[in-house]
Amino acid sequence: TIMCGEGLNSMDALRNADIGLSFTKNSSSFVSHFVSSTHSISSVKELIMEGKLAVSNSLDYFKFIIEYSFLQIISQYYQLKY
């Protein structure tokens, strides 16, 4: 779940949400996961886009590590064989 808030009454919801976005820099910003400096709802779109990019980068890195490990195993196999 995603929760956007700016006041003290939304602190519990920001804390319990999977993604909490606070629009202020007061005490509610300490319990939220992300703090926006623009004070507009368009920052939710930017947050989702950055999250998608982070997941994409993580998957690309994971693919690279798997491919590199596979090549290391193959090279060790051929090195021992010949």
Side-chain angles (χ1 to χ4, degrees), residues 9-28:
N9 58 349
S10 59
M11 285 178 63
D12 286 334
L14 287 171
R15 185 181 315 121
N16 294 329
D18 294 326
I19 301 170
L21 177 63
S22 176
F23 291 122
T24 61
K25 293 184 179 179
N26 61 8
S27 59
S28 65

Side-chain angles (χ1 to χ4, degrees), residues 26-44:
N26 61 8
S27 59
S28 65
S29 65
F30 294 114
V31 298
S32 65
H33 301 102
F34 304 98
V35 178
S36 174
S37 61
T38 59
H39 304 302
S40 78
I41 200 72
S42 66
S43 59
V44 174

